[in-house]
Amino acid sequence: MRLRVEFTTEPFDLDEAPAHALVARDVIEGAPLDAVDVGPFGNTVEGGADEVLTAVDALLRRTLKAGATRVSLQVNVVGEGHR
C-alpha cells in the first residue's frame, strides 16, 4: 500500500522558519520516501505505508518536542485503484 501525507506544523512565523519547521524538514528529507515536497505553508510526502508511517511517527514526536503547538495532517491511500 502507498500513502500520501500532507502536513503543516504551527505556530507559523513568516519572518524565519521556527525550530519545529526545521525539525519537520529534517525528518522528512531524511526518511526513505519516494516523493517529498516541502513548502512554507504545507508539505507533502509519499511512499510505502511502513516508511510513511515511520516518518509520521518521528515527525510528530520530534516537532512537538521542538515547540510545535499543532500538527495537522491528512493521510490518503494512493496508487492503483485508489484516488
Side-chain angles (χ1 to χ4, degrees), residues 1-79:
M1 175 186 320
R2 292 185 55 76
L3 300 176
R4 178 181 301 128
V5 175
E6 299 173 48
F7 70 92
T8 58
T9 61
E10 297 179 40
F12 295 114
D13 184 340
L14 296 177
D15 294 327
E16 67 178 76
H20 60 80
L22 298 175
V23 166
R25 184 178 67 201
D26 289 346
V27 168
I28 293 307
E29 289 181 345
L33 302 169
D34 299 332
V36 175
D37 182 18
V38 177
F41 299 109
N43 309 284
T44 305
V45 300
E46 189 173 313
D50 288 339
E51 292 79 11
V52 169
L53 294 174
T54 298
V56 167
D57 177 66
L59 172 83
L60 291 171
R61 292 176 188 277
R62 292 183 55 196
T63 58
L64 293 170
K65 187 174 181 179
T69 57
R70 178 178 177 153
V71 180
S72 301
L73 60 95
Q74 179 176 320
V75 179
N76 292 294
V77 176
V78 296

